[in-house]
Amino acid sequence: LRVELVESFTLIERNYREHRWEPSELNGGKLCEVVYSILKGYVDGTFPASASKPQNMVDACRGLENTSPSFPRSVRIQIPRMLLALYEIRNNRGVGHVGGDVDPNEMDATCVLQMSKWVLAELIRVFHDVSTLEAQSVVNVLSERELTLVWEVGGKFRVLDTSLKVSEQTMVLLYSKTDGMEEKELF
């Protein structure tokens, strides 16, 4: 399930960086299904060969709360409750439905990315089979605050790192716009 977990997270992150909000949110649902399969396999003592979607994600996650208190609280309560919030965004917000004057997809995708990072970090914290120092290092990378290199307000773009050469700033600006940029806009 590790491969499926990493692939789901990688797609969320890549789509987010490419400003593809809806696909990022959709992959949040896939991540939930993989993580649920991991938690259920851990509790049952047998991991499935591949992830699957439970019939009812809400009931399935709530069912984990009724497992033995000998399992970590994170496995029984904290991660499953986060999965419910992630799944709710995927199923019942702008990604799956039309309507409303304000498009929530960018803020929802941001929420999905951050919650996915938390879930992944928590899985590492609970299940790591490397040294504590290595596990902590990975969790720190996932939790690291990201600062954007391009600032945009009112259709005006600025590269915040003024130490970059003009050619490097040009590349950064072009990379930051997935739908292209007119020459006058770039200038």
Side-chain angles (χ1 to χ4, degrees), residues 46-88:
T46 306
F47 291 95
S50 62
S52 62
K53 176 184 173 188
Q55 284 247 317
N56 182 318
M57 182 63 86
V58 174
D59 290 344
C61 285
R62 287 188 178 144
L64 289 171
E65 292 188 22
N66 298 321
T67 59
S68 168
S70 64
F71 290 103
R73 183 172 178 81
S74 207
V75 169
R76 294 179 293 114
I77 296 170
Q78 294 162 336
I79 296 173
R81 288 182 182 177
M82 186 66 74
L83 295 182
L84 292 178
L86 264 167
Y87 218 66
E88 179 68 16

Side-chain angles (χ1 to χ4, degrees), residues 13 117 121 135-146:
E13 195 169 42
K117 285 182 174 189
Q136 185 65 57
S137 177
V138 174
V139 168
N140 289 348
V141 168
L142 283 168
S143 304
E144 209 170 62
R145 183 174 170 217
E146 294 180 37

